[in-house]
Amino acid sequence: RSVPSLPMPVQRPHPKLWFGGNSRLTLRRVVEHGGGWMPLPNARATARHLHSPPLESFDDLAVLLARLHEYADRIGRTGPIDVMYWLPPVTEARDMKRHVVLAGKARELGASWLVVNGQGTTAADARSFVLRYREHVLAHLEGE
């Protein structure tokens, strides 16, 4: 059934569609509609109830990425597929070092975008966090 989205986008072609979820249907939509994929963290304990494959580890991500690329190969999609990966929150300085490792592993598996929850209750706090993150995490990734 058709669901209208208004107002119509002015971009031609339309903006890239991003799909969130881990189900086979979501992966099919990503591949068929040329969009990006946002895999969603999902505990094994809730996977069956949510009717969505688990995503607790990089091994789980690798399985889901294999499904995504398998389907892309099956239908002949050759273009790149953007993949966004959610990193755990940064609560302590040592988490920044951990993020370097996690972000590197996510990129190695095929993630092209990372989501990081910021910190702070003011604009100045948020800016400070972004600057620290850039210095302690992003600078290391760019040097690889």
Side-chain angles (χ1 to χ4, degrees):
R1 113 183 161 154
S2 178
V3 177
S5 177
L6 299 172
M8 297 296 291
V10 295
Q11 292 131 312
R12 296 286 181 240
H14 60 76
K16 179 182 281 192
L17 299 173
W18 282 80
F19 297 91
N22 306 339
S23 71
R24 290 184 186 271
L25 177 61
T26 298
L27 299 178
R28 190 180 85 212
R29 287 176 176 149
V30 170
V31 170
E32 290 177 355
H33 297 288
W37 177 44
M38 297 178 292
L40 300 176
N42 189 25
R44 279 184 168 57
T46 60
R48 183 177 166 145
H49 173 72
L50 295 176
H51 306 286
S52 181
L55 179 53
E56 292 182 326
S57 68
F58 284 121
D59 289 340
D60 295 335
L61 179 62
V63 167
L64 294 170
L65 283 164
R67 286 182 191 161
L68 179 77
H69 293 298
E70 177 186 306
Y71 188 69
D73 290 345
R74 197 171 341 139
I75 70 163
R77 175 161 177 193
T78 57
I81 299 173
D82 282 326
V83 176
M84 182 183 295
Y85 187 74
W86 293 76
L87 292 174
V90 173
T91 56
E92 300 177 24
R94 69 178 181 203
D95 291 336
M96 295 267 190
K97 290 180 183 176
R98 191 168 144 241
H99 269 224
V100 172
V101 173
L102 295 174
K105 180 66 174 173
R107 181 173 60 187
E108 182 182 301
L109 287 172
S112 48
W113 293 79
L114 295 173
V115 175
V116 179
N117 290 330
Q119 289 181 345
T121 57
T122 67
D125 290 344
R127 179 175 168 66
S128 176
F129 172 78
V130 169
L131 293 173
R132 285 192 325 273
Y133 198 86
R134 181 177 69 189
E135 177 186 350
H136 296 287
V137 179
L138 299 180
H140 294 282
L141 294 172
E142 292 167 356
E144 292 180 356

